[in-house]
């Protein structure tokens, strides 16, 4: 039985990447050692991390005045690092579009010396859309505007980035990095946990504009962007194997044709599923059409018992991790870059069969 992994993260990785990692697992480039055993100060690993950065810069067209950092702690640590480095004794603006936005807001408030202002929220409508942000809503004296570009749990995404004037935009891009056509120059900081579109859990990518380094004294060097940038992500032992897999994923993306090609493929995959939902008399999308994500697509029957039945039968048929997040229920298909189109086609066929058998219940 073919298994399709719809997990929201850790998520599916490209098969060619896994196969190359397998072939090099016990002996990387004749070293007699696995990448997991290489010193992070070795010439072999130095080549890996430098090539990973080079390829990511090429893929995302990252300007020279931005640092690329390979860190640890997940996006969740960035919830604290961002205000600690950018907004001590200043105001920070946030848009609340779901669970991860709420956690970022809470972490900033916990610091105690940051004035947190939520300028827009879709909470009253169960986060089913991205609220409009207009320039007049943004205090130009604020340290930054924080957004979550794709909301994994509820399946919403920014189609365009707000105009924040001179206020730097900080983006949690964990679930749609490398799957969008955003311009890096529109952001002051982009951060992303790797476990969705980049590689294994344990690596966090941070892209930060140079002028945002060293704005404040940060007494903990591990949490100081300036310290991490000065050490070229090697202040301590980085997640070496995760960086190696990320390098292979970046190479795989480039060989496919880069972000324009993978975005085209992502759009085709998402459209297949959205079209099936729209023509269905059983399944519906809870998300407003203008805010729908390409990478995380929730759908429901409107009947909790029928949702449960679908999830049980889908799992038995080889569709892994389709159950919606515990906070919202229903179903959710996460279609990251490495997820195959044939998996979406198989899901649509299964949904049609399920509807014929259960649509009258």
């Amino acid at each position: 039985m073919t298994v399709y992994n719809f997990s929201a993260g850790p998520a599916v990785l490209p098969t060619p990447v896994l196969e190359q990692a397998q072939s090099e697992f016990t002996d990387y480039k004749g070293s007699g050692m696995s990448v997991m055993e290489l010193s992070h100060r070795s010439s072999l690993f130095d080549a890996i991390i430098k090539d990973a950065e080079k390829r990511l810069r090429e893929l995302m067209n990252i300007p020279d005045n931005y640092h690329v950092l390979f860190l640890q702690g997940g996006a969740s640590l960035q919830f604290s690092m961002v205000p600690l480095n950018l907004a001590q004794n200043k105001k920070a603006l946030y848009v609340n579009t779901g669970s991860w936005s709420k956690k970022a807001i809470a972490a900033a408030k916990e610091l105690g010396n940051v004035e947190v202002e939520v300028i827009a929220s879709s909470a009253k409508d169960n986060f089913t859309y991205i609220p409009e942000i207009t320039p007049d809503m943004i205090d130009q004296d604020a340290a930054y505007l924080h957004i979550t570009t794709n909301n994994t749990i509820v399946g919403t995404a920014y189609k365009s980035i707000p105009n924040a004037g001179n206020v730097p935009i900080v983006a949690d891009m964990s679930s749609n990095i490398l799957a969008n056509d955003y311009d890096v120059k529109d952001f002051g900081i982009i951060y992303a946990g790797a476990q969705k579109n980049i590689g294994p859990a344990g690596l966090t990518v941070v892209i930060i504009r140079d002028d945002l380094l060293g704005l404040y004294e940060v007494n903990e060097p591990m949490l100081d962007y300036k310290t991490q940038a000065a050490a070229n992500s090697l202040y301590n032992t980085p997640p070496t194997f995760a960086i190696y897999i990320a390098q292979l994923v970046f190479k795989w993306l480039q060989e496919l044709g880069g972000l324009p090609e993978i975005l085209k493929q992502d759009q085709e995959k998402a459209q297949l599923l959205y079209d099936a939902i729209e023509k269905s008399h059983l399944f519906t999308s809870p998300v407003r059409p203008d805010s729908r994500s390409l990478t995380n697509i929730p759908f429901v029957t409107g009947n909790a018992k029928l949702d449960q039945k679908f999830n049980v039968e889908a799992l038995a048929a080889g569709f892994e991790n389709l159950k919606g997040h515990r906070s919202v229920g229903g179903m959710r298909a996460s279609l990251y870059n490495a997820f195959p189109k044939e998996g979406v086609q198989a899901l649509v066929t299964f949904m049609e069969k399920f509807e014929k058998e259960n649509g009258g219940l």
Side-chain angles (χ1 to χ4, degrees):
M1 180 175 67
T2 301
V3 171
Y4 293 109
N5 179 16
F6 291 89
S7 174
V12 60
L13 285 165
T15 299
V17 167
L18 294 175
E19 289 172 345
Q20 182 171 346
Q22 180 185 47
S23 71
E24 298 176 332
F25 191 72
T26 59
D27 184 4
Y28 180 72
K29 294 193 180 302
S31 67
M33 294 177 286
S34 169
V35 169
M36 288 190 288
E37 301 170 297
L38 294 177
S39 166
H40 62 296
R41 307 291 182 187
S42 68
S43 59
L44 283 173
F45 183 73
D46 182 65
I48 289 171
I49 195 170
K50 285 180 178 175
D51 189 63
E53 177 178 343
K54 176 178 177 290
R55 291 182 184 277
L56 183 59
R57 284 185 177 278
E58 291 169 350
L59 282 165
M60 295 183 67
N61 194 24
I62 300 172
D64 291 340
N65 65 321
Y66 285 73
H67 271 78
V68 174
L69 306 177
F70 296 109
L71 305 179
Q72 299 172 72
S76 294
L77 185 58
Q78 296 305 308
F79 298 163
S80 298
M81 281 185 72
V82 167
L84 186 62
N85 282 264
L86 269 63
Q88 293 184 39
N89 300 308
K90 288 198 71 176
K91 179 190 288 187
L93 310 178
Y94 284 78
V95 182
N96 182 12
T97 51
S99 294
W100 301 112
S101 297
K102 288 193 290 185
K103 289 188 175 184
I105 291 164
K109 288 180 176 179
E110 282 292 323
L111 291 178
N113 63 348
V114 179
E115 180 187 349
V116 175
E117 181 182 344
V118 178
I119 64 169
S121 173
S122 51
K124 64 180 177 61
D125 292 306
N126 298 315
F127 300 113
T128 53
Y129 68 95
I130 298 294
E132 183 182 6
I133 307 299
T134 56
D136 60 286
M137 298 167 67
I138 299 169
D139 183 346
Q140 290 299 301
D141 291 326
Y144 60 82
L145 168 65
H146 181 283
I147 64 173
T148 306
T149 56
N150 187 88
N151 298 281
T152 322
I153 293 173
V154 295
T156 62
Y158 282 77
K159 302 304 181 186
S160 60
I161 302 305
N163 177 4
N166 293 320
V167 175
I169 295 178
V170 175
D172 178 355
M173 209 176 283
S174 295
S175 53
N176 72 339
I177 193 169
L178 300 174
N180 61 66
D181 56 2
Y182 306 144
D183 188 339
V184 172
K185 295 191 295 295
D186 288 338
F187 302 90
I189 297 178
I190 292 169
Y191 64 86
Q195 66 274 14
K196 301 173 188 293
N197 256 343
I198 295 176
L203 169 66
T204 308
V205 172
V206 175
I207 302 166
I208 179 168
R209 208 171 61 211
D210 290 353
D211 63 298
L212 300 178
L213 297 170
L215 296 180
Y216 296 95
E217 186 77 23
V218 178
N219 293 323
E220 172 48 65
M222 282 290 291
L223 303 181
D224 186 354
Y225 290 132
K226 184 179 180 181
T227 297
Q228 295 284 8
N232 296 311
S233 304
L234 299 174
Y235 179 79
N236 72 325
T237 306
T240 54
F241 194 74
I243 293 170
Y244 157 69
I245 296 294
Q247 175 207 22
L248 298 184
V249 170
F250 300 155
K251 179 183 177 186
W252 172 77
L253 281 170
Q254 287 181 315
E255 290 173 349
L256 280 180
L259 295 199
E261 176 57 30
I262 200 65
L263 181 57
K264 177 174 173 287
Q265 293 183 21
D266 289 342
Q267 290 168 334
E268 290 172 354
K269 291 184 297 187
Q271 197 61 50
L272 267 176
L273 184 50
Y274 280 124
D275 284 348
I277 293 168
E278 288 302 314
K279 76 175 186 180
S280 171
H281 297 290
L282 178 63
F283 301 104
T284 59
S285 167
V287 181
R288 205 169 74 182
D290 64 354
S291 298
R292 289 177 180 173
S293 168
L294 289 181
T295 51
N296 306 100
I297 303 177
F299 56 99
V300 297
T301 66
N303 181 313
K305 289 185 178 179
L306 203 53
D307 288 350
Q308 183 179 15
K309 186 174 190 288
F310 179 90
N311 282 319
V312 169
E313 293 183 9
L315 185 61
F319 300 104
E320 291 280 344
N321 299 302
L322 262 178
K323 186 177 180 181
H325 191 270
R326 60 188 178 276
S327 65
V328 296
M331 288 71 69
R332 173 183 55 180
S334 293
L335 309 181
Y336 297 120
N337 288 345
F339 191 88
K341 185 176 181 179
E342 56 264 32
V344 185
Q345 293 167 329
L347 174 60
V348 168
T349 300
F350 179 81
M351 290 167 65
E352 291 170 346
K353 176 175 178 290
F354 184 87
E355 181 168 351
K356 286 179 183 177
E357 296 171 354
N358 299 275
L361 295 182

